Amino acid sequence: MTRGPLLALRGLRIAYGDTEVVHGVDLTVDRGEVVALVGESGSGKTTLAHAVVGLLPAGGRVTDGEIRFDGERIDSAPARRLEKLRGAHIGVVPQDPTSSLNPVRRIGDQVAEILRIHGRANRRTAALEAVRILDEAGIDRPEVRARQHPAELSGGQRQRVLIGIALACSPELVIADEPTSALDVTVQKRILDHLDDRVDSTGAAVLFITHDLGVAADRADRIVVLRDGVVVEDGPTAQVLASPEHEYTAHLVAAAPSLSRARTRRTPVRVDGPPLLSLRELGKTFRAGDEKLVAVDGVSLEIRRGQTVSLVGESGSGKSTTARIAARLETPTSGSVHFDGADVTSARGRSLRDFRRRVQFVHQNPFLSLDPSVSVGDTIAEPLRAFGIGDRSGRRTRVAELLASVSLPTDVADRRPARLSGGQRQRVAIARALALEPDLVILDEPVSALDVSVQATILELLDDLQRDLGLTYLFISHDLAVVRQISDEVAVMRSGRIVEHGAAESVFDSPSHPYTAELRDAVPGRDHVPDRRG
């Protein structure tokens, strides 16, 4: 007798209170198949995953349809049955390793717990098995790591621990919910390669939840596209990417920088003349007790008016520290910062205030960079008030102009940040940075927390603003695919040093340093190779 799919969702509807958020979804995952569930934030991807394992948040409930696992209906199963399925038969790799691991328990104890819960080990053998699982998860010195707490591990190591926990009992199905969205592209590739290897060795099926079509292209056999709680497309990966049938899928494909080879930004403006910003042999050393951490080591960089120069590197490479020194938010241990011909390394008083007016900083996280208790209008007007520019009426007019410049309606000025989406918040942060009409804007990972379509919109906005206002950008990112779309020049940082610097196309297409090639090769989906098995 032919067996049905391992996981089957039929006509599934889910609501929070009186609001339905998932509308009649049909979705299947066959044994040994990798299915990518793709969609933007708010599309319902994680809600579906939580429903499968019976972990919908308070107020969430399945209102219609059914969920079957290996032929058994589980949406109406008692809690005790779902507890037996979770971990033993359905493994879950959550998105955020920081919040998913208990910060006060040792890593080994947390791995051992899943084995003991499902009777795969006793108190004596669980600790030994936990070390074995950490070793299989690719954790270095597993005996040592087992005795450590989550805060003592890197983000990539913590994510490997979660993969180890999810696969500890050799489940038939693994649900991976954005398991690498917070990681650098090289770490992301290593984690996903490891997940692939482990899944292949066990024969498990995977429901891979992601907003990144590049990741789906590399890893999935089939793509299911979800929009506003509705499946709008479902098909083999190669077919969906090459010939999307739904306009929303086509929009996602077009927006994903990791799926685009060509440089799409405008022709660069002329960049003749002396540099606007010059960093000369910068060094920065931090002290942690008796130890010294060299964050920046002899960095020199020049940016001319109208240019976009990007600093690229993994977390810990020193790029953000370099940017903060350039903005005079950090003081260098050595070297100097020159702006418009003047040495501003030790600027104080009026000269520092003038520098602050001409150089603005846009932070990475749009959810943390805005005061939640202050209206958008007051947030944008704050730099104007600080520098005594205009009266109340004039500042209100200027706020309206700035909102229009970042394509936000005027009534947004009266809202609090909590009422805005991530993309809208980042637009507000950019508008605030433009309030004083700066010459240089430093952008530290300004799109890394955004969905690909919102990301594409923000990059286009930055390009338009640069053309219209003559802005100069220092752009910080770990993602070469994003950098290629916006940059004139790229400087690649590793361990506090610039290891390669040149025109964006040459750095991307013909890297001279092995580390740059590693970053480039880690970009998901860059070769349009959707069949992960070749």
Side-chain angles (χ1 to χ4, degrees):
M1 184 175 68
T2 302
R3 302 173 72 185
L6 180 64
L7 177 70
L9 280 55
R10 305 294 187 194
L12 195 68
R13 295 181 179 273
I14 303 172
Y16 290 102
D18 296 329
T19 304
E20 186 174 271
V21 296
V22 172
H23 315 290
V25 163
D26 292 332
L27 185 150
T28 63
V29 181
D30 290 331
R31 289 165 177 80
E33 185 182 30
V34 178
V35 175
L37 183 60
V38 173
E40 295 175 290
S41 297
S43 62
K45 307 186 301 295
T46 297
T47 294
L48 282 176
H50 287 165
V52 169
V53 292
L55 292 177
L56 284 171
R61 69 191 195 284
V62 174
T63 59
D64 198 7
E66 63 179 34
I67 303 171
R68 290 187 177 273
F69 176 74
D70 201 12
E72 175 188 358
R73 183 167 180 178
I74 62 173
D75 58 280
S76 55
R80 181 168 296 182
R81 174 57 180 155
L82 290 173
E83 289 171 1
K84 289 184 177 181
L85 287 174
R86 287 195 297 267
H89 301 280
I90 303 175
V92 179
V93 183
Q95 177 174 356
D96 185 359
T98 303
S99 62
S100 301
L101 292 170
N102 189 327
V104 300
R105 294 190 65 196
R106 297 180 190 277
I107 291 296
D109 293 339
Q110 297 189 58
V111 177
E113 182 180 32
I114 191 72
L115 299 170
R116 293 175 58 193
I117 286 174
H118 294 288
R120 305 299 174 93
N122 56 36
R123 185 180 296 274
R124 182 178 61 83
T125 60
L128 294 174
E129 282 295 294
V131 171
R132 178 187 63 78
I133 288 169
L134 291 175
D135 186 42
E136 287 184 350
I139 298 290
D140 67 307
R141 298 178 296 158
E143 299 88 353
V144 175
R145 301 300 186 190
R147 297 192 297 270
Q148 292 181 323
H149 293 87
E152 298 175 89
L153 275 61
S154 70
Q157 288 172 326
R158 289 194 292 266
Q159 196 61 279
R160 285 177 181 265
V161 171
L162 291 177
I163 292 173
I165 292 173
L167 296 172
C169 298
S170 299
E172 294 95 330
L173 173 68
V174 175
I175 298 176
D177 186 6
E178 299 273 13
T180 59
S181 62
L183 303 178
D184 293 327
V185 287
T186 49
V187 180
Q188 177 189 76
K189 184 178 186 300
R190 288 193 289 269
I191 294 294
L192 293 179
D193 285 348
H194 169 70
L195 180 59
D196 270 357
D197 290 342
R198 293 288 291 119
V199 165
D200 286 344
S201 68
T202 62
V206 180
L207 178 59
F208 196 103
I209 295 169
T210 182
H211 67 268
D212 189 339
L213 272 178
V215 170
D218 285 347
R219 307 289 168 173
D221 302 307
R222 185 159 55 89
I223 290 178
V224 178
V225 183
L226 195 66
R227 183 187 190 187
D228 297 331
V230 176
V231 172
V232 297
E233 191 150 353
D234 181 348
T237 300
Q239 176 182 313
V240 170
L241 294 178
S243 304
E245 295 181 356
H246 196 278
E247 61 180 3
Y248 176 69
T249 309
H251 170 67
L252 289 181
V253 172
S258 53
L259 293 176
S260 174
R261 286 182 177 273
R263 185 169 185 239
T264 57
R265 72 184 298 270
R266 59 165 173 80
T267 302
V269 297
R270 289 187 62 187
V271 291
D272 297 335
L276 177 65
L277 178 72
S278 179
L279 310 179
R280 301 179 183 177
E281 293 294 326
L282 288 184
K284 180 65 178 180
T285 301
F286 294 98
R287 291 185 178 273
D290 295 332
E291 295 186 16
K292 291 183 179 181
L293 171 64
V294 179
V296 179
D297 186 7
V299 166
S300 296
L301 186 70
E302 291 184 345
I303 307 176
R304 287 173 170 76
R305 289 183 182 274
Q307 269 193 316
T308 296
V309 174
S310 291
L311 272 178
V312 174
E314 295 175 290
S315 297
S317 62
K319 59 188 187 299
S320 289
T321 301
T322 300
R324 290 179 61 81
I325 293 173
R328 283 296 318 274
L329 300 175
E330 290 277 1
T331 302
T333 307
S334 60
S336 59
V337 179
H338 294 253
F339 182 76
D340 204 10
D343 188 340
V344 297
T345 315
S346 302
R348 299 287 185 273
R350 185 184 296 273
S351 60
L352 180 59
R353 184 172 173 82
D354 179 62
F355 176 80
R356 296 261 192 254
R357 179 169 180 169
R358 298 178 65 190
V359 178
Q360 291 291 302
F361 201 98
V362 177
H363 296 274
Q364 174 177 358
N365 194 328
F367 297 94
L368 298 179
S369 61
L370 303 178
D371 188 333
S373 65
V374 177
S375 72
V376 166
D378 286 343
T379 293
I380 296 174
E382 183 182 9
L384 300 173
R385 290 193 300 272
F387 281 86
I389 298 174
D391 55 17
R392 179 173 296 183
S393 174
R395 288 194 290 268
R396 196 161 45 240
T397 299
R398 178 64 176 148
V399 167
E401 293 172 350
L402 288 164
L403 287 172
S405 73
V406 295
S407 302
L408 287 175
T410 305
D411 61 6
V412 167
D414 299 323
R415 301 182 196 172
R416 296 287 192 271
R419 294 179 56 196
L420 304 180
S421 68
Q424 288 174 322
R425 292 186 200 199
Q426 198 60 289
R427 286 169 182 262
V428 170
I430 293 169
R432 184 182 186 279
L434 297 179
L436 297 174
E437 300 181 345
D439 297 298
L440 173 67
V441 180
I442 299 174
L443 303 116
D444 189 5
E445 299 273 14
V447 297
S448 64
L450 305 176
D451 289 326
V452 287
S453 60
V454 181
Q455 183 183 88
T457 302
I458 294 296
L459 292 176
E460 184 177 353
L461 169 67
L462 291 172
D463 198 38
D464 291 342
L465 290 170
Q466 184 174 51
R467 181 186 61 243
D468 296 341
L469 303 177
L471 295 171
T472 303
Y473 293 142
L474 175 58
F475 192 92
I476 315 301
S477 180
H478 66 265
D479 189 341
L480 272 180
V482 168
V483 163
R484 190 185 194 194
Q485 289 198 332
I486 197 170
S487 305
D488 298 305
E489 294 182 6
V490 175
V492 181
M493 288 194 70
R494 185 184 193 187
S495 301
R497 297 185 176 187
I498 292 177
V499 297
E500 184 163 355
H501 181 199
E505 287 86 351
S506 64
V507 170
F508 196 96
D509 294 332
S510 304
S512 61
H513 195 280
Y515 177 67
T516 309
E518 182 184 2
L519 285 179
R520 181 200 62 180
D521 293 344
V523 174
R526 71 184 190 92
D527 291 324
H528 277 258
V529 182
D531 185 353
R532 69 190 187 98
R533 295 183 178 88

